[in-house]
């Protein structure tokens, strides 16, 4: 790794020193020519290897990591700016992205909801909202929809097929039949 870094550094110094030697009497090498030469050096196998060695070095990685405050500020600026808001609107209109995003945060959302339902203050606030007349009307509308009736029907059928419920119903029917028979005798 050190050999590659040394080779890269030496190549760069040679380019720079060549520029400096011609400086007094001859024209200086232009920026574009120097840039092209450095890029050509970096495109060689040795140049690529040197860059890979530098990038994979743990110490270099640690130095390249950005300051977390800078990252937070960048994200905050992107989310709150008009361009950012427009970007997120378009992005969330993509069903694949929205689905992947929802799946990624599903566990966190469940945890937040569980925590909220255990919070007495949140539950009280929710109950107050449910008591509002407008909310009651909306709930009634929702409960009377065709979809909800279908759900009720399925629940009732499922409940009636339960052996426990059937046993209870049989018990009630037997009691009712016994009472009816007693009334007839009198």
């Amino acid at each position: 790794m050190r050999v590659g870094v040394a080779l890269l550094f030496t190549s760069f110094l040679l380019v720079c020193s060549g520029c400096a030697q011609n400086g007094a009497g001859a024209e200086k090498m232009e920026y574009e020519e120097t840039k092209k030469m450095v890029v050509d050096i970096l495109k060689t196998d040795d140049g690529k290897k040197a860059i890979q060695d530098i990038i994979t070095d743990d110490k270099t990685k640690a130095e390249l990591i950005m300051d977390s405050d800078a990252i937070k500020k960048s994200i905050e600026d992107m989310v709150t700016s008009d361009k950012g808001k427009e970007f997120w609107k378009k992005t969330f209109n993509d069903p694949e992205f929205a689905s992947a995003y929802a799946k990624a945060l599903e566990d966190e959302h469940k945890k937040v909801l569980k925590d909220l339902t255990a919070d007495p203050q949140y539950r009280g606030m929710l109950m107050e909202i449910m008591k509002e007349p407008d909310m009651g009307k909306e709930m009634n509308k929702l409960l009377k929809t065709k979809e909800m009736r279908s759900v009720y029907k399925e629940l009732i059928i499922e409940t009636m097929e339960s052996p426990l419920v059937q046993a209870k119903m049989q018990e009630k029917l037997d009691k009712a039949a016994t009472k009816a028979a007693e009334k007839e005798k009198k």
Side-chain angles (χ1 to χ4, degrees), residues 137-152:
K137 289 177 186 175
E138 290 300 316
M139 288 297 288
N140 280 334
K141 284 181 189 176
L142 175 67
L143 295 174
K144 291 178 182 178
T145 63
K146 190 175 186 177
E147 293 84 14
M148 287 304 293
R149 288 179 185 208
S150 174
V151 170
Y152 295 149

Side-chain angles (χ1 to χ4, degrees), residues 92-133:
F92 276 99
N93 282 335
D94 176 16
E96 288 180 28
F97 174 81
S99 173
Y101 181 80
K103 285 178 184 174
L105 295 178
E106 185 175 9
D107 291 338
E108 289 299 317
H109 288 174
K110 285 179 182 177
K111 185 180 180 299
V112 168
L113 285 174
K114 283 180 182 178
D115 290 347
L116 283 174
T117 55
D119 179 17
Q121 185 178 4
Y122 177 78
R123 291 173 69 171
M125 187 174 61
L126 194 57
M127 292 305 291
E128 288 300 315
I129 291 171
M130 297 299 250
K131 289 178 184 177
E132 291 180 12

